């Protein structure tokens, strides 16, 4: 049985739908940052596939860096406790940042991150998230570049995991045996 065609997972957003939307996001970002030096900051681990596709649609001389944040243990509910598992490797003072996230769920991780980054005095900070679950937001997070709004369901694939697995699915899927 192939995991790419698993009985436990139903396709929510196909690879084609993802690619089409990501090309649009890349074009918007390219237009908005014409005269600015942009650092694209990927939030590991979930961003790695989305970011890889997105940056290839940004037609600008960007710099990329990564931060590792962890707010989920082995469960599917947000703890609100955020751990920095890897910090940026560069100084961001007076730089324009675009944070690339896989999903904004409660928004607690992003809220913590924004507060943390503000202390480093960047010129601007904007957010690009592939997915958002507005019904679950506990804090208000401005998402300038949003791929898709989804319902309050746990999703996997295209970088998103369930307990570490399924990140390599080429689509966004719903795990049918998980709430
Ligand atoms: P938040 O702090 O509740 O916004 O959650 C942020 C992080 O939780 C995301 O960056 C994901 O890593 C993870 N997460 C939230 N919802 C899902 C989901 O449906 N599938 C997989 N991971 C999720
Ligand atoms: Mg994440």
């Amino acid at each position: 049985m192939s995991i790419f065609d698993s009985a436990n997972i139903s396709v929510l957003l196909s690879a084609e739908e993802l690619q089409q939307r990501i090309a649009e996001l890349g074009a918007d970002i390219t237009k908005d940052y014409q005269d600015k030096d942009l650092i694209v900051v990927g939030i590991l681990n979930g961003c790695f596939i989305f970011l890889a596709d997105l940056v290839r649609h940004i037609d600008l001389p960007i710099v990329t860096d990564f931060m590792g944040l962890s707010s989920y243990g082995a469960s599917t509910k947000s703890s609100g406790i955020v751990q920095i598992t890897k910090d940026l490797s560069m100084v961001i003072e007076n730089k324009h940042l675009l944070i690339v996230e896989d999903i904004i769920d409660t928004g607690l991780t992003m809220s913590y991150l924004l507060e943390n980054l503000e202390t480093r005095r960047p010129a601007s900070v904007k957010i690009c998230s592939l997915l958002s679950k507005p019904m679950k937001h506990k804090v208000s997070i401005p998402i300038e570049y949003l791929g898709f709004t989804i319902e309050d369901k746990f999703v996997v694939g295209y970088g998103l995991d369930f307990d570490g697995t399924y990140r390599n699915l080429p689509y966004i899927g719903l795990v049918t045996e998980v709430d």
Side-chain angles (χ1 to χ4, degrees):
M1 182 64 185
S2 163
I3 75 136
F4 298 116
D5 190 20
S6 168
N8 298 332
I9 298 171
S10 62
V11 178
L12 182 66
L13 295 163
S14 70
E16 292 73 26
E17 286 175 276
L18 293 173
Q19 290 311 320
Q20 196 183 344
R21 183 72 189 115
I22 291 164
E24 290 170 2
L25 291 173
D28 289 348
I29 293 164
T30 302
K31 185 156 53 71
D32 294 349
Y33 286 92
Q34 281 298 312
D35 316 313
K36 293 178 180 137
D37 291 330
L38 177 61
I39 303 179
V40 174
V41 176
I43 306 306
L44 297 169
N45 294 326
C47 79
F48 77 109
I49 296 180
F50 174 42
L51 181 135
D53 283 341
L54 179 70
V55 293
R56 283 178 283 179
H57 289 285
I58 302 177
D59 190 4
L60 296 169
I62 58 165
V63 167
T64 53
D65 199 355
F66 294 90
M67 251 179 115
L69 295 183
S70 176
S71 68
Y72 269 54
S75 86
T76 61
K77 302 278 180 273
S78 185
S79 62
I81 299 162
V82 182
Q83 216 189 330
I84 296 183
T85 55
K86 181 208 175 297
D87 205 349
L88 292 171
S89 59
M90 54 187 72
V91 174
I92 57 167
E93 190 166 3
N94 297 324
K95 306 284 188 190
H96 294 282
L97 301 190
L98 180 66
I99 304 171
V100 176
E101 232 323 4
D102 51 2
I103 186 164
I104 311 282
D105 183 8
T106 61
L108 293 173
T109 305
M110 191 52 74
S111 165
Y112 170 89
L113 178 63
L114 290 174
E115 238 174 73
N116 181 292
L117 292 176
E118 273 315 315
T119 65
R120 310 182 198 194
R121 303 179 183 284
S124 71
V125 181
K126 289 191 177 176
I127 296 167
C128 176
S129 184
L130 179 64
L131 305 172
S132 172
K133 294 181 193 169
M135 285 167 61
K136 289 280 294 296
H137 292 190
K138 289 188 178 160
V139 284
S140 158
I141 301 286
I143 311 172
E144 280 81 7
Y145 306 97
L146 175 62
F148 301 89
T149 290
I150 62 168
E151 283 176 53
D152 177 15
K153 298 264 173 62
F154 196 80
V155 293
V156 295
Y158 201 71
L160 290 108
D161 72 303
F162 171 57
D163 205 5
T165 60
Y166 296 124
R167 291 193 197 275
N168 56 326
L169 296 178
Y171 54 84
I172 297 286
L174 290 167
V175 184
T176 45
E177 86 266 34
V178 173
D179 273 344

